Amino acid sequence: MKILVLNAGSSSVKYSLFEMSNQSILLTGLIERIGESLGVHRYRLAGLEPQTTEEVIPDHQHALRALFRLISTSAVIGDGELACIGHRVVHGGEFFREQALIDQQVIDRIDSLIPLAPLHNPANLLGIKESLRQMGDVPQVAVFDTAFHGSLPDYAYRYALPNALYHDQGVRRYGFHGTSHHYVAKQAADFLGKGLNEVNLITLHLGNGASVTAIENGLSIDTSMGMTPLEGLMMGTRSGDIDPALHFYLHRTLNLSLEEIENLLNKNSGCKGVCGENDMRTIHQMADAGDVNARLALAMYAYRIKKYIGAYFAVLGRVDALVFTGGIGENDHWLRQQCCAGLSALGIAIDAEKNRAPARPCGAIHTDPSPTKVLVIKTHEELEIALQAQACLEKSV
Ligand code: ADP
């Protein structure tokens, strides 16, 4: 079975075409700078060298046309062989606790959630609508970043705010990165030789965005991102948790507008705010060269992760494994060491050698007697979307 996964952003479309029998990627690519004077299409067909083409790509219609043309001219799959298209959708609100076969009602619901995800859902919808226009005879499935966190109990997802804000405006914690947390949780359970519903995990997705999830018997019961992806851990450019009264203070003292504060917290805070850089590799280079702000950013980043690990241990009671994933979680051994240092009271002990070079795509980095396992697992959000799309398709026939 062949499944195409699409991740449409406002000026880019990322895609991967999977052969599901062996979960291999037949074609993967990224169409960028949609709407700019010159667009770029980078792609790679299995077994061949990566290719880059430049052409004017005025909108998503042209981007998807270029993709479907490539699929057909490269003969990567035969006519009528595409079983399904899986679309990444950032916000599923309370409606979508799992993936959904796309019809007009699903489109309308995703549309109604735009106020909750004004940057992402409109772009995701553009991809869906255009893909339906061009490939309307292929079933299409929406897979939501929020869905895995649909199992959060009310005392974890509610904010201590007036009830009406929840009931009338949907003000609550939703959580994000769900496909990644779900995927690595399944991999961790496999690695531990248990069913997903038998394991308690703390999964740490540390990439440009970062979030941590407490998983009990395979279900997400708390997660660090909230109503938006701004809450929780310190990130590349996002502040994570702050005192909400800061908004009033910034407005009163600096006369910053709401838009300026929003921009400050999303784009100019986190690591970038503290040391001027958001790429973790560069921050390490700066720290190694003696930059005190880079050192502070690293210390803050690790400290905040450690606080969440402690909190989620308390929430879960028993933790089978702590799982690191995402670009930073998978690659930054220094950070993993820092996050786990001094946690022997929680049964966590890292083996320095194993931590330096964990097995790929799933490696254990704890010492042999460590009661809590510590795993480094490569995330694969596109594959998880394809798997969920496949499951949805099989359920619908
Ligand atoms: P996204 O959230 O956009 O998918 P990624 O998961 O790819 O991002 O993570 C990007 C982050 O991973 C960047 O901060 C990058 O510096 C960091 N990263 C990638 N490789 C390494 C490495 N070897 N050591 C430390 N950080 C790394």
Side-chain angles (χ1 to χ4, degrees):
M1 180 186 281
K2 271 88 175 170
I3 294 184
L4 176 67
V5 172
L6 286 183
N7 181 355
S10 55
S11 64
S12 70
V13 175
K14 226 169 150 180
Y15 61 85
S16 297
L17 177 64
F18 287 91
E19 168 51 63
M20 297 307 288
S21 60
N22 57 5
Q23 300 187 348
S24 65
I25 295 182
L26 303 172
L27 166 69
T28 183
L30 172 64
I31 303 173
E32 281 180 294
R33 301 199 204 141
I34 298 171
E36 292 183 27
S37 53
L38 196 59
V40 184
H41 186 175
R42 295 176 221 281
Y43 61 91
R44 182 175 198 162
L45 283 152
L48 298 179
E49 289 299 309
Q51 303 288 323
T52 302
T53 61
E54 290 189 334
E55 59 184 297
V56 183
I57 306 170
D59 51 28
H60 285 68
Q61 181 185 359
H62 286 78
L64 290 191
R65 215 178 268 158
L67 165 60
F68 293 127
R69 199 172 49 228
L70 174 65
I71 289 178
S72 126
T73 55
S74 63
V76 64
I77 52 175
D79 263 358
E81 251 198 308
L82 186 59
C84 176
I85 300 177
H87 294 269
R88 176 186 182 221
V89 181
V90 166
H91 217 305
E94 285 195 326
F95 290 127
F96 298 107
R97 293 189 58 162
E98 57 180 22
Q99 70 275 35
L101 194 62
I102 296 175
D103 57 16
Q104 191 55 46
Q105 194 186 23
V106 169
I107 290 178
D108 292 343
R109 285 193 164 164
I110 296 172
D111 191 72
S112 74
L113 294 166
I114 286 177
L116 290 173
L119 298 180
H120 295 103
N121 273 27
N124 301 156
L125 264 181
L126 262 182
I128 290 174
K129 287 180 180 168
E130 200 43 55
S131 168
L132 281 171
R133 249 194 294 277
Q134 296 186 34
M135 301 292 277
D137 49 346
V138 177
Q140 317 221 1
V141 175
V143 177
F144 301 91
D145 275 13
T146 47
F148 183 57
H149 304 299
S151 43
L152 256 60
D154 52 6
Y155 54 80
Y157 72 66
R158 285 291 298 274
Y159 290 113
L161 291 169
N163 280 340
L165 286 178
Y166 167 61
H167 292 296
D168 302 341
Q169 311 297 329
V171 174
R172 54 159 282 182
R173 309 179 65 253
Y174 292 97
F176 297 87
H177 288 148
T179 45
S180 179
H181 288 291
H182 195 177
Y183 178 79
V184 296
K186 288 190 287 186
Q187 299 299 309
D190 271 0
F191 188 86
L192 298 172
K194 294 186 173 177
L196 179 60
N197 61 359
E198 296 171 303
V199 289
N200 284 6
L201 305 167
I202 297 175
T203 51
L204 291 145
H205 177 106
L206 309 175
N208 285 315
S211 66
V212 47
T213 294
I215 296 174
E216 185 177 58
N217 299 325
L219 297 177
S220 169
I221 60 160
D222 205 351
T223 191
S224 59
M225 283 180 168
M227 172 147 161
T228 75
L230 186 54
E231 188 178 340
L233 297 174
M234 174 174 167
M235 307 179 213
T237 64
R238 297 185 206 136
S239 64
D241 297 330
I242 51 159
D243 182 340
L246 188 69
H247 298 74
F248 323 133
Y249 181 80
L250 292 175
H251 174 64
R252 288 194 196 114
T253 55
L254 297 175
N255 201 24
L256 293 189
S257 67
L258 279 181
E259 286 71 27
E260 286 169 325
I261 295 172
E262 188 172 25
N263 201 48
L264 172 83
L265 297 179
N266 274 299
K267 304 230 169 84
N268 289 311
S269 295
C271 295
K272 189 174 176 195
V274 176
C275 72
E277 250 304 327
N278 59 288
D279 189 293
M280 199 48 94
R281 286 163 293 198
T282 314
I283 297 171
H284 276 296
Q285 284 163 7
M286 289 162 61
D288 290 345
D291 186 302
V292 289
N293 291 328
R295 287 183 180 171
L296 175 62
L298 289 172
M300 288 171 67
Y301 193 94
Y303 176 73
R304 286 170 174 230
I305 291 172
K306 193 185 266 193
K307 284 210 295 191
Y308 267 97
I309 293 174
Y312 285 174
F313 249 90
V315 162
L316 288 165
R318 183 200 92 231
V319 177
D320 297 299
L322 194 64
V323 180
F324 285 93
T325 192
I328 297 168
E330 290 164 29
N331 295 302
D332 194 332
H333 61 86
W334 180 90
L335 195 86
R336 291 193 298 259
Q337 171 67 44
Q338 285 299 113
C339 295
C340 296
L343 295 186
S344 55
L346 300 179
I348 295 176
I350 293 270
D351 179 306
E353 278 310 305
K354 291 182 192 164
N355 182 38
R356 213 158 285 135
R360 312 278 173 180
C362 179
I365 60 168
H366 49 271
T367 60
D368 289 338
S370 176
T372 304
K373 314 297 174 211
V374 185
L375 308 177
V376 178
I377 300 182
K378 185 170 170 39
T379 194
H380 203 334
E381 289 167 277
E382 292 82 11
L383 176 58
E384 178 59 27
I385 292 172
L387 289 167
Q388 291 194 27
Q390 182 179 24
C392 186
L393 201 62
E394 286 167 356
K395 232 180 352 185
S396 73
V397 290

